[in-house]
Amino acid sequence: MAAPLPPSPGGTPAPSRSGFPGSGLAKGLAVTLRTMTRKNVTAQYPDVQPELPPRSRGVIALFEENCTVCMLCARECPDWCIYIDSHKETVPAAAPGGRERSRNVLDRFAIDFSLCMYCGICIEVCPFDALFWSPEFEYAETDILELTHERDKLREWMWTVPEPPALDPGAEEPKEIAAARKTAEKLAAQRAKEAEQAEQARQARDEQGEQHEQGSPGEQGEQDEREEQEGKE
């Protein structure tokens, strides 16, 4: 709303800049009339699936291999709707004389979507990218207990997680992709070098075999002389 003008020097208040009385009502009615003249579009759901935005928050998916049972998502959840159970296992030493290590093994990972408010805090705080948003939203149940998805169900939602958007042309390559690419290039170069060495060794063996079959001129001459002497005797 526009502020009233300061009073004039004579003491009379200046007229308001908001326009004539009822201008706001006229603007609202104009919007209503424009909407009434447009053609209505009926969403043919569920026969036609809606086109959801790329970052729609439908259901949370779990990538179990990345979960380290750090419990950070469960502690940060404002609704306390994430349930995690785990146990510790002892890993033997990798080398003789080394120390044994203990690691957490995930036994249960469940999310109660009847309590979840889809804030996404659990996905943001996960340090190992074990939780993802899926745009799937068709998981209504007649029994509220069925809205508690265990880790097997959460793993199935991973197949519906869309690919991440492409980076900008001038963006820096992610460190994980750069490290993986360098490792792959190093491994490919090592394999190519081993294949080249194997090819050279095979060619050397073939050449030695041919020389052995043909024999050198000196050896062939000595063999002929021995055969002549044996014939004379």
Side-chain angles (χ1 to χ4, degrees), residues 62 98 150 152 159 174 185 196 211 217:
L62 170 67
E150 299 291 338
D152 295 336
W159 299 105
E185 291 176 354
E196 184 180 357
Q211 292 178 1

Side-chain angles (χ1 to χ4, degrees), residues 19-31:
F20 60 90
S23 59
L25 178 61
K27 292 180 181 178
L29 292 175
V31 174

Side-chain angles (χ1 to χ4, degrees), residues 100-148:
E100 295 181 346
R101 297 183 298 107
S102 62
R103 66 174 182 180
N104 292 324
V105 179
L106 184 65
D107 293 329
R108 185 195 182 201
F109 194 108
I111 300 178
D112 188 355
F113 286 103
S114 65
L115 299 178
C116 179
M117 64 179 184
Y118 303 91
C119 62
I121 293 178
C122 57
I123 298 176
E124 294 177 2
V125 300
C126 180
F128 301 104
D129 292 334
L131 297 174
F132 298 87
W133 276 120
S134 167
E136 292 294 327
F137 60 91
E138 296 177 325
Y139 53 94
E141 301 289 348
T142 57
D143 187 0
I144 194 173
L145 298 178
E146 298 295 331
L147 287 175
T148 301

Side-chain angles (χ1 to χ4, degrees), residues 188-226:
Q190 183 178 357
R191 290 179 177 175
K193 184 177 180 181
E194 292 176 355
E196 184 180 357
Q197 293 177 353
E199 182 65 21
Q200 292 177 357
R202 186 184 64 80
Q203 292 178 358
R205 288 196 302 268
D206 293 344
E207 292 176 358
Q208 291 179 358
E210 292 177 358
Q211 292 178 1
H212 181 71
E213 291 177 358
Q214 295 176 358
S216 60
E219 293 177 354
Q220 188 68 26
E222 293 177 359
Q223 185 176 0
D224 294 342
E225 291 178 0
R226 284 196 300 269

